[in-house]
Amino acid sequence: MAANGTIRYWAAAKAAAGTAEEPYAADTLAEALAAAGARHGDELTRVLARCSFLVDGRAVGKRDHAGVALADGGTVEVLPPFAGG
């Protein structure tokens, strides 16, 4: 059974998704992002490729999204890229 939580979109991701937040049902960050892209289309998929992510307050950084486990009741923050990394 997949974990359930909330994805929060900021800046261009919020505009591309057409919402500030929505629920996820996924075991990994990769699964949650793929499902969001499938729901909202190519523009969000393009934006997500440039974003940074926090999962439950922790930066994902360069880790493989397929290896980032999501928790039940967790939060994924989709952030715009920041100057300097």
Side-chain angles (χ1 to χ4, degrees):
M1 186 166 192
N4 293 287
T6 303
I7 299 176
R8 293 190 182 131
Y9 299 104
W10 300 95
K14 180 178 174 181
T19 187
E21 66 180 51
E22 64 185 350
Y24 68 73
D27 290 319
T28 67
L29 179 58
E31 291 173 8
L33 297 178
R39 270 191 307 279
H40 299 291
D42 292 340
E43 180 61 24
L44 181 60
T45 300
R46 281 191 291 276
V47 170
L48 291 175
R50 301 192 61 212
C51 286
S52 299
F53 304 94
L54 296 177
V55 174
D56 298 331
R58 294 185 184 103
V60 171
K62 301 284 183 188
R63 288 185 287 158
D64 180 0
H65 295 166
V68 178
L70 299 180
D72 208 35
T75 302
V76 174
E77 304 278 349
V78 181
L79 307 168
F82 293 98

Coordinates of all heavy atoms in Angstrom, one line a residue:
M1 N 0.8 -1.2 0.0 CA 0.0 0.0 0.0 C 0.9 1.2 0.0 O 1.8 1.3 0.8 CB -0.9 0.0 1.2 CG -1.9 1.1 1.2 SD -3.1 0.7 2.5 CE -4.3 1.9 2.1
A2 N 0.6 2.2 -0.9 CA 1.4 3.4 -1.0 C 1.2 4.3 0.2 O 0.2 4.4 0.8 CB 1.0 4.1 -2.3
A3 N 2.3 5.1 0.4 CA 2.2 6.2 1.5 C 1.3 7.3 0.9 O 1.3 7.6 -0.3 CB 3.6 6.6 1.8
N4 N 0.6 8.0 1.8 CA -0.2 9.1 1.4 C 0.3 10.3 2.2 O 0.6 10.3 3.4 CB -1.6 8.9 1.8 CG -2.3 7.8 1.0 OD1 -2.6 7.9 -0.1 ND2 -2.4 6.6 1.6
G5 N 0.4 11.5 1.4 CA 0.9 12.7 2.0 C 0.5 13.9 1.1 O -0.5 13.8 0.3
T6 N 1.2 14.9 1.2 CA 0.9 16.2 0.5 C 2.1 16.7 -0.3 O 3.2 16.7 0.2 CB 0.5 17.3 1.5 OG1 -0.6 16.8 2.3 CG2 0.2 18.6 0.8
I7 N 1.9 17.1 -1.6 CA 2.9 17.8 -2.4 C 2.5 19.2 -2.4 O 1.3 19.6 -2.6 CB 2.9 17.3 -3.8 CG1 3.2 15.8 -3.9 CG2 3.9 18.1 -4.7 CD1 3.1 15.2 -5.3
R8 N 3.5 20.1 -2.0 CA 3.3 21.5 -2.0 C 4.1 22.1 -3.2 O 5.3 21.9 -3.2 CB 3.7 22.2 -0.7 CG 2.7 21.8 0.4 CD 3.0 22.6 1.6 NE 2.1 22.1 2.7 CZ 2.5 21.8 3.9 NH1 3.8 22.0 4.3 NH2 1.7 21.4 4.8
Y9 N 3.5 22.9 -4.0 CA 4.1 23.5 -5.2 C 4.4 24.9 -4.9 O 3.5 25.6 -4.4 CB 3.3 23.4 -6.4 CG 2.9 21.9 -6.9 CD1 1.7 21.4 -6.6 CD2 3.9 21.2 -7.5 CE1 1.4 20.1 -7.0 CE2 3.6 19.9 -7.9 CZ 2.3 19.3 -7.6 OH 2.1 18.1 -8.0
W10 N 5.6 25.4 -5.4 CA 5.9 26.8 -5.2 C 6.3 27.4 -6.6 O 6.8 26.7 -7.4 CB 7.1 27.0 -4.2 CG 6.7 26.4 -2.9 CD1 7.0 25.2 -2.4 CD2 6.0 27.1 -1.8 NE1 6.4 25.1 -1.1 CE2 5.8 26.2 -0.8 CE3 5.5 28.4 -1.7 CZ2 5.2 26.6 0.4 CZ3 4.8 28.7 -0.6 CH2 4.7 27.9 0.5
A11 N 6.1 28.7 -6.7 CA 6.6 29.4 -7.9 C 6.1 28.8 -9.2 O 4.9 28.6 -9.4 CB 8.1 29.6 -7.9
A12 N 7.0 28.6 -10.2 CA 6.6 28.1 -11.5 C 5.9 26.7 -11.4 O 5.0 26.4 -12.2 CB 7.8 28.0 -12.4
A13 N 6.3 25.9 -10.4 CA 5.6 24.6 -10.3 C 4.2 24.8 -9.9 O 3.3 24.1 -10.4 CB 6.3 23.7 -9.2
K14 N 3.9 25.7 -9.0 CA 2.5 26.0 -8.6 C 1.7 26.5 -9.8 O 0.6 26.0 -10.1 CB 2.5 27.1 -7.6 CG 1.2 27.5 -7.1 CD 1.3 28.6 -6.0 CE 0.0 29.1 -5.5 NZ 0.1 30.2 -4.5
A15 N 2.3 27.3 -10.7 CA 1.6 27.8 -11.9 C 1.4 26.7 -12.8 O 0.3 26.5 -13.4 CB 2.4 28.9 -12.5
A16 N 2.3 25.8 -13.0 CA 2.2 24.7 -14.0 C 1.2 23.6 -13.5 O 0.5 23.0 -14.3 CB 3.6 24.1 -14.2
A17 N 1.2 23.4 -12.2 CA 0.2 22.4 -11.7 C -1.2 23.0 -11.6 O -2.2 22.2 -11.5 CB 0.7 22.0 -10.3
G18 N -1.3 24.3 -11.5 CA -2.6 24.9 -11.3 C -3.2 24.8 -9.9 O -4.3 25.0 -9.7
T19 N -2.3 24.5 -9.0 CA -2.7 24.3 -7.6 C -1.5 24.5 -6.7 O -0.4 24.3 -7.1 CB -3.3 22.9 -7.3 OG1 -3.9 22.9 -6.0 CG2 -2.3 21.8 -7.5
A20 N -1.8 24.9 -5.4 CA -0.7 25.1 -4.5 C -0.3 23.8 -3.8 O 0.9 23.6 -3.4 CB -1.1 26.1 -3.4
E21 N -1.2 22.9 -3.7 CA -0.9 21.6 -3.1 C -1.9 20.5 -3.5 O -3.1 20.9 -3.9 CB -0.8 21.7 -1.6 CG -2.0 22.0 -0.8 CD -1.8 22.0 0.7 OE1 -0.9 22.7 1.2 OE2 -2.6 21.4 1.4
E22 N -1.5 19.3 -3.4 CA -2.4 18.2 -3.7 C -1.9 16.9 -2.9 O -0.7 16.9 -2.5 CB -2.5 17.9 -5.2 CG -1.2 17.5 -5.8 CD -1.3 17.4 -7.3 OE1 -2.5 17.4 -7.8 OE2 -0.3 17.2 -8.0
P23 N -2.7 15.9 -2.8 CA -2.2 14.7 -2.1 C -1.4 13.8 -3.0 O -1.5 13.9 -4.3 CB -3.5 14.0 -1.8 CG -4.5 14.5 -2.8 CD -4.1 15.9 -3.1
Y24 N -0.5 13.0 -2.4 CA 0.2 12.0 -3.2 C -0.2 10.6 -2.6 O -0.5 10.5 -1.4 CB 1.7 12.2 -3.2 CG 2.4 12.0 -1.9 CD1 2.6 10.7 -1.3 CD2 3.0 13.1 -1.2 CE1 3.3 10.6 -0.1 CE2 3.7 12.9 0.0 CZ 3.9 11.7 0.5 OH 4.5 11.5 1.7
A25 N -0.1 9.6 -3.4 CA -0.2 8.2 -3.0 C 1.0 7.5 -3.7 O 0.8 7.1 -4.9 CB -1.5 7.6 -3.3
A26 N 2.1 7.4 -3.1 CA 3.3 6.9 -3.7 C 4.3 6.4 -2.7 O 4.3 6.9 -1.5 CB 4.0 7.9 -4.6
D27 N 5.2 5.5 -3.0 CA 6.2 5.0 -2.1 C 7.5 5.8 -2.2 O 8.3 5.8 -1.3 CB 6.5 3.5 -2.3 CG 5.3 2.7 -1.9 OD1 4.7 3.0 -0.8 OD2 4.9 1.7 -2.6
T28 N 7.8 6.4 -3.4 CA 9.0 7.1 -3.6 C 8.7 8.5 -4.2 O 7.7 8.7 -4.8 CB 10.0 6.3 -4.5 OG1 9.4 6.3 -5.9 CG2 10.3 4.9 -4.0
L29 N 9.7 9.3 -4.1 CA 9.6 10.7 -4.7 C 9.4 10.5 -6.2 O 8.6 11.2 -6.8 CB 10.8 11.5 -4.4 CG 10.9 12.9 -5.0 CD1 9.7 13.7 -4.6 CD2 12.2 13.6 -4.6
A30 N 10.1 9.6 -6.9 CA 10.0 9.4 -8.3 C 8.6 9.1 -8.7 O 8.1 9.6 -9.7 CB 11.0 8.3 -8.8
E31 N 8.0 8.2 -8.0 CA 6.6 7.8 -8.2 C 5.6 9.0 -8.1 O 4.7 9.2 -8.9 CB 6.1 6.7 -7.3 CG 6.8 5.3 -7.6 CD 6.5 4.3 -6.5 OE1 5.6 4.5 -5.7 OE2 7.1 3.2 -6.6
A32 N 5.8 9.7 -7.0 CA 4.9 10.9 -6.8 C 5.1 11.9 -7.9 O 4.1 12.5 -8.4 CB 5.2 11.5 -5.4
L33 N 6.3 12.2 -8.3 CA 6.5 13.2 -9.4 C 6.0 12.7 -10.7 O 5.5 13.5 -11.5 CB 8.0 13.5 -9.5 CG 8.6 14.2 -8.2 CD1 10.1 14.5 -8.4 CD2 7.9 15.5 -7.8
A34 N 6.2 11.4 -11.0 CA 5.7 10.9 -12.3 C 4.1 11.0 -12.3 O 3.6 11.4 -13.3 CB 6.1 9.4 -12.4
A35 N 3.5 10.7 -11.2 CA 2.0 10.8 -11.1 C 1.6 12.2 -11.3 O 0.6 12.5 -12.0 CB 1.5 10.2 -9.8
A36 N 2.3 13.2 -10.7 CA 1.9 14.6 -10.8 C 2.1 15.1 -12.2 O 1.2 15.8 -12.8 CB 2.8 15.4 -9.9
G37 N 3.2 14.6 -12.9 CA 3.4 15.0 -14.3 C 2.3 14.4 -15.2 O 1.8 15.1 -16.1
A38 N 1.9 13.2 -14.9 CA 0.8 12.6 -15.7 C -0.5 13.3 -15.5 O -1.3 13.4 -16.4 CB 0.7 11.1 -15.3
R39 N -0.8 13.8 -14.3 CA -2.0 14.5 -14.0 C -2.0 15.9 -14.7 O -3.1 16.3 -15.1 CB -2.2 14.7 -12.5 CG -2.9 13.6 -11.8 CD -3.3 14.0 -10.4 NE -2.2 14.5 -9.6 CZ -1.4 13.7 -8.9 NH1 -1.4 12.4 -9.0 NH2 -0.4 14.2 -8.2
H40 N -0.9 16.6 -14.6 CA -0.9 18.0 -15.0 C -0.2 18.3 -16.3 O -0.3 19.4 -16.8 CB -0.2 18.8 -13.9 CG -0.9 18.7 -12.6 ND1 -2.2 19.3 -12.4 CD2 -0.6 18.1 -11.4 CE1 -2.6 19.0 -11.1 NE2 -1.6 18.3 -10.5
G41 N 0.4 17.3 -16.9 CA 1.0 17.5 -18.3 C 2.4 17.9 -18.4 O 3.2 18.0 -17.4
D42 N 2.8 18.1 -19.7 CA 4.2 18.4 -20.1 C 4.8 19.6 -19.4 O 6.0 19.6 -19.1 CB 4.3 18.5 -21.6 CG 4.0 17.2 -22.3 OD1 4.1 16.1 -21.6 OD2 3.7 17.2 -23.5
E43 N 4.0 20.6 -19.2 CA 4.6 21.9 -18.6 C 5.1 21.6 -17.2 O 6.2 22.0 -16.8 CB 3.6 23.0 -18.6 CG 4.2 24.3 -18.0 CD 5.4 24.9 -18.8 OE1 5.6 24.6 -20.0 OE2 6.2 25.6 -18.1
L44 N 4.3 20.9 -16.4 CA 4.7 20.6 -15.1 C 5.9 19.6 -15.1 O 6.9 19.8 -14.3 CB 3.6 20.0 -14.2 CG 4.0 19.6 -12.8 CD1 4.5 20.9 -12.0 CD2 2.9 18.9 -12.0
T45 N 5.9 18.7 -16.0 CA 7.0 17.7 -16.1 C 8.3 18.5 -16.4 O 9.4 18.2 -15.8 CB 6.8 16.7 -17.2 OG1 5.6 16.0 -16.8 CG2 7.9 15.7 -17.4
R46 N 8.3 19.5 -17.3 CA 9.5 20.3 -17.6 C 9.9 21.1 -16.4 O 11.1 21.2 -16.1 CB 9.2 21.2 -18.8 CG 9.2 20.6 -20.1 CD 9.2 21.6 -21.3 NE 7.9 22.2 -21.4 CZ 6.8 21.8 -22.0 NH1 6.9 20.6 -22.6 NH2 5.7 22.4 -22.1
V47 N 9.0 21.7 -15.7 CA 9.3 22.5 -14.5 C 9.9 21.6 -13.4 O 10.9 21.9 -12.8 CB 8.1 23.2 -14.0 CG1 8.3 23.9 -12.6 CG2 7.6 24.3 -15.0
L48 N 9.4 20.4 -13.2 CA 9.9 19.5 -12.2 C 11.3 19.1 -12.4 O 12.1 18.9 -11.5 CB 9.0 18.3 -12.1 CG 7.6 18.4 -11.5 CD1 6.8 17.1 -11.6 CD2 7.6 19.0 -10.1
A49 N 11.7 19.0 -13.7 CA 13.1 18.6 -14.0 C 14.1 19.7 -13.6 O 15.3 19.4 -13.4 CB 13.2 18.4 -15.5
R50 N 13.6 20.9 -13.3 CA 14.5 22.0 -12.9 C 14.4 22.3 -11.4 O 15.2 23.1 -10.9 CB 14.3 23.2 -13.7 CG 14.5 23.0 -15.2 CD 14.5 24.2 -16.0 NE 15.6 25.0 -15.5 CZ 15.5 26.4 -15.6 NH1 14.5 27.0 -16.0 NH2 16.6 27.0 -15.1
C51 N 13.5 21.7 -10.7 CA 13.2 22.1 -9.3 C 14.1 21.3 -8.3 O 14.7 20.3 -8.6 CB 11.7 21.7 -9.0 SG 10.6 22.9 -9.7
S52 N 14.1 21.9 -7.1 CA 14.7 21.2 -5.9 C 13.5 20.7 -5.1 O 12.4 21.2 -5.1 CB 15.5 22.3 -5.1 OG 16.5 22.8 -5.9
F53 N 13.8 19.7 -4.2 CA 12.8 19.1 -3.4 C 13.2 18.9 -2.0 O 14.4 18.6 -1.7 CB 12.5 17.7 -4.0 CG 12.1 17.7 -5.4 CD1 13.0 17.5 -6.4 CD2 10.8 18.0 -5.8 CE1 12.7 17.6 -7.8 CE2 10.5 18.1 -7.2 CZ 11.4 17.8 -8.1
L54 N 12.3 19.2 -1.1 CA 12.4 18.8 0.3 C 11.4 17.7 0.6 O 10.2 17.9 0.2 CB 12.1 20.0 1.2 CG 13.0 21.3 1.1 CD1 12.5 22.3 2.0 CD2 14.4 20.9 1.5
V55 N 11.8 16.7 1.3 CA 10.9 15.6 1.7 C 10.9 15.6 3.2 O 12.0 15.4 3.8 CB 11.3 14.3 1.1 CG1 10.5 13.2 1.7 CG2 11.2 14.3 -0.4
D56 N 9.8 16.0 3.8 CA 9.7 16.1 5.3 C 10.8 17.0 5.8 O 11.4 16.7 6.8 CB 9.7 14.7 5.9 CG 8.5 13.8 5.4 OD1 7.5 14.4 5.1 OD2 8.7 12.6 5.4
G57 N 11.0 18.1 5.2 CA 12.0 19.1 5.6 C 13.4 18.8 5.3 O 14.3 19.6 5.6
R58 N 13.7 17.7 4.7 CA 15.1 17.4 4.3 C 15.3 17.5 2.8 O 14.6 17.0 2.0 CB 15.4 16.0 4.7 CG 15.4 15.8 6.2 CD 15.8 14.4 6.6 NE 15.6 14.2 8.1 CZ 14.7 13.5 8.6 NH1 13.7 13.0 7.9 NH2 14.6 13.4 9.9
A59 N 16.4 18.2 2.5 CA 16.8 18.4 1.1 C 17.1 17.1 0.4 O 17.8 16.2 1.0 CB 18.0 19.3 1.0
V60 N 16.6 16.9 -0.8 CA 16.9 15.7 -1.6 C 18.2 15.8 -2.2 O 18.9 14.8 -2.4 CB 15.7 15.4 -2.6 CG1 16.1 14.3 -3.6 CG2 14.4 15.2 -1.9
G61 N 18.6 17.0 -2.7 CA 19.8 17.1 -3.4 C 19.9 16.3 -4.6 O 19.0 16.2 -5.4
K62 N 21.1 15.7 -4.9 CA 21.3 15.0 -6.1 C 20.9 13.5 -6.0 O 21.2 12.7 -6.9 CB 22.8 15.1 -6.4 CG 23.4 16.5 -6.6 CD 22.9 17.0 -7.9 CE 23.6 18.4 -8.1 NZ 23.1 19.1 -9.3
R63 N 20.3 13.1 -4.9 CA 20.0 11.7 -4.8 C 19.0 11.3 -5.8 O 18.1 12.0 -6.3 CB 19.3 11.4 -3.4 CG 20.3 11.5 -2.3 CD 19.7 11.1 -0.9 NE 18.8 12.2 -0.5 CZ 17.8 12.1 0.4 NH1 17.5 10.9 0.9 NH2 17.1 13.2 0.7
D64 N 19.0 10.0 -6.2 CA 18.1 9.4 -7.2 C 16.7 9.4 -6.5 O 16.5 8.9 -5.4 CB 18.5 8.0 -7.5 CG 17.6 7.2 -8.4 OD1 16.6 7.8 -8.9 OD2 17.9 6.1 -8.7
H65 N 15.8 10.0 -7.2 CA 14.4 10.2 -6.7 C 13.7 8.8 -6.5 O 12.9 8.7 -5.6 CB 13.6 11.0 -7.6 CG 14.1 12.4 -7.7 ND1 13.6 13.3 -8.7 CD2 14.9 13.2 -7.0 CE1 14.2 14.5 -8.5 NE2 15.0 14.4 -7.5
A66 N 14.2 7.8 -7.2 CA 13.6 6.5 -7.0 C 14.1 5.9 -5.6 O 13.4 5.0 -5.1 CB 14.0 5.5 -8.1
G67 N 15.1 6.4 -5.1 CA 15.6 5.9 -3.8 C 15.2 6.8 -2.6 O 15.6 6.5 -1.5
V68 N 14.4 7.8 -2.8 CA 13.9 8.7 -1.8 C 12.5 8.2 -1.3 O 11.5 8.4 -2.0 CB 13.8 10.1 -2.2 CG1 13.3 11.0 -1.1 CG2 15.2 10.6 -2.6
A69 N 12.4 7.5 -0.2 CA 11.2 7.0 0.3 C 10.3 8.1 0.8 O 10.8 9.0 1.5 CB 11.4 5.9 1.4
L70 N 9.0 7.9 0.6 CA 8.0 8.8 1.2 C 7.3 8.2 2.3 O 7.0 7.0 2.3 CB 7.0 9.2 0.1 CG 7.6 10.0 -1.1 CD1 6.5 10.3 -2.1 CD2 8.3 11.2 -0.7
A71 N 7.0 9.0 3.3 CA 6.3 8.5 4.5 C 4.8 8.8 4.5 O 4.4 9.8 3.8 CB 6.9 9.1 5.8
D72 N 4.0 7.9 5.1 CA 2.6 8.2 5.3 C 2.5 9.5 6.1 O 3.1 9.6 7.1 CB 2.0 7.0 6.0 CG 0.5 6.9 5.6 OD1 0.1 7.2 4.4 OD2 -0.3 6.5 6.5
G73 N 1.7 10.4 5.6 CA 1.5 11.7 6.3 C 2.6 12.7 6.0 O 2.7 13.8 6.7
G74 N 3.5 12.4 5.1 CA 4.7 13.2 4.8 C 4.3 14.4 3.9 O 3.2 14.6 3.4
T75 N 5.4 15.2 3.6 CA 5.2 16.4 2.8 C 6.4 16.5 1.8 O 7.5 16.3 2.2 CB 5.2 17.7 3.6 OG1 4.1 17.6 4.6 CG2 5.0 18.9 2.8
V76 N 6.1 16.7 0.6 CA 7.1 17.0 -0.5 C 6.9 18.5 -0.9 O 5.8 18.9 -1.3 CB 6.9 16.1 -1.7 CG1 7.8 16.5 -2.8 CG2 7.0 14.7 -1.4
E77 N 8.0 19.2 -0.7 CA 8.0 20.6 -1.2 C 8.7 20.7 -2.5 O 9.8 20.2 -2.6 CB 8.7 21.5 -0.2 CG 8.2 21.5 1.3 CD 7.0 22.3 1.5 OE1 6.6 23.2 0.7 OE2 6.4 22.2 2.6
V78 N 8.0 21.3 -3.5 CA 8.6 21.4 -4.8 C 9.0 22.9 -5.0 O 8.2 23.8 -5.1 CB 7.6 21.0 -5.9 CG1 8.2 21.2 -7.3 CG2 7.1 19.6 -5.7
L79 N 10.3 23.1 -5.0 CA 10.9 24.5 -4.9 C 11.6 24.9 -6.2 O 12.2 24.0 -6.9 CB 11.9 24.5 -3.8 CG 11.4 24.1 -2.4 CD1 12.6 23.9 -1.5 CD2 10.4 25.0 -1.9
P80 N 11.6 26.2 -6.5 CA 12.3 26.6 -7.7 C 13.8 26.5 -7.5 O 14.3 26.4 -6.4 CB 11.9 28.1 -7.8 CG 11.6 28.5 -6.4 CD 11.0 27.3 -5.8
P81 N 14.5 26.4 -8.6 CA 16.0 26.3 -8.5 C 16.5 27.6 -7.8 O 15.9 28.7 -8.1 CB 16.5 26.1 -9.9 CG 15.4 26.5 -10.8 CD 14.1 26.3 -10.0
F82 N 17.5 27.5 -7.0 CA 18.0 28.7 -6.3 C 19.4 29.0 -6.9 O 20.2 28.1 -7.3 CB 18.2 28.4 -4.8 CG 16.9 28.2 -4.2 CD1 16.4 27.0 -3.9 CD2 16.1 29.3 -3.8 CE1 15.1 26.8 -3.3 CE2 14.9 29.2 -3.2 CZ 14.4 27.9 -2.9
A83 N 19.7 30.3 -7.0 CA 21.0 30.7 -7.4 C 22.1 30.1 -6.5 O 21.9 30.1 -5.3 CB 21.1 32.3 -7.4
G84 N 23.1 29.6 -7.0 CA 24.2 29.0 -6.2 C 24.0 27.6 -5.9 O 24.8 27.0 -5.1
G85 N 22.9 27.0 -6.3 CA 22.7 25.5 -6.1 C 21.6 25.2 -5.3 O 20.6 25.2 -4.9

